[in-house]
């Protein structure tokens, strides 16, 4: 059986203070967002090109959107993990795991966004 698509099609990152977390991601990554209200939720959707590989997603503020440090981890792709972790720290995030090799699969790092979500980074260099 061949896979016709990647397994993840959408993700949501809980953000009790949507504007503050949006500013963090803009400063740390340069991401652009599009606002979307879906009462009782407010979303800031990451700008995405659906013709390219990878998943789209959003920051979400709402009644059951609670930041977490356990459970599922979302990894953001980047050019180089150490340089991205520096930008994350400068934007107010917390570095949890410095750049670490995962062998032939590249490198990872872990951080907390300003809302308290544990997230990851991945690069091949």
């Amino acid at each position: 059986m061949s896979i016709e698509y990647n397994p993840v099609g959408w993700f949501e990152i809980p953000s009790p203070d949507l504007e503050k977390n949006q500013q963090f991601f803009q400063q740390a990554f340069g991401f652009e967002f599009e606002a979307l209200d879906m009462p009782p939720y407010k979303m800031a959707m990451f700008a995405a090109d659906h013709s390219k590989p990878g998943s789209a997603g959003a920051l979400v503020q709402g009644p059951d959107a609670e930041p977490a440090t356990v459970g599922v981890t979302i990894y953001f792709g980047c050019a180089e993990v150490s340089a991205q972790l520096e930008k994350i720290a400068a934007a107010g995030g917390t570095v949890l795991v410095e750049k670490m090799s995962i062998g032939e699969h590249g490198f990872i790092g872990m951080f907390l966004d300003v809302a308290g979500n544990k997230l990851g980074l991945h690069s091949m260099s």
Side-chain angles (χ1 to χ4, degrees):
M1 174 179 194
S2 68
I3 297 175
E4 297 180 22
Y5 51 85
N6 288 320
V8 176
W10 183 258
F11 65 85
E12 295 180 354
I13 299 174
S15 302
D17 186 335
L18 189 64
E19 290 76 22
K20 182 178 179 180
N21 215 22
Q22 184 175 339
Q23 288 173 353
F24 164 77
F25 280 97
Q26 287 171 325
Q27 184 179 350
F29 290 89
F31 291 146
E32 296 179 11
F33 293 89
E34 179 182 336
L36 177 65
D37 285 334
M38 295 179 62
Y41 299 95
K42 289 175 58 179
M43 295 183 162
M45 296 187 307
F46 291 89
D49 181 343
H50 298 286
S51 68
K52 294 183 178 176
S55 177
L59 303 176
V60 179
Q61 180 180 352
D64 62 351
E66 296 182 29
T69 59
V70 297
V72 175
T73 303
I74 298 167
Y75 285 81
F76 287 90
C78 63
E80 198 279 324
V81 170
S82 293
Q84 190 63 55
L85 286 171
E86 288 178 15
K87 291 177 183 177
I88 287 165
T94 303
V95 175
L96 298 175
V97 177
E98 296 287 346
K99 182 178 180 178
M100 178 176 73
S101 173
I102 54 172
E104 67 184 71
H105 303 289
F107 300 88
I108 62 167
M110 304 293 293
F111 67 97
L112 292 177
D113 68 6
V114 295
N117 294 294
K118 182 183 79 168
L119 301 162
L121 296 173
H122 176 262
S123 72
M124 290 307 295
S125 61

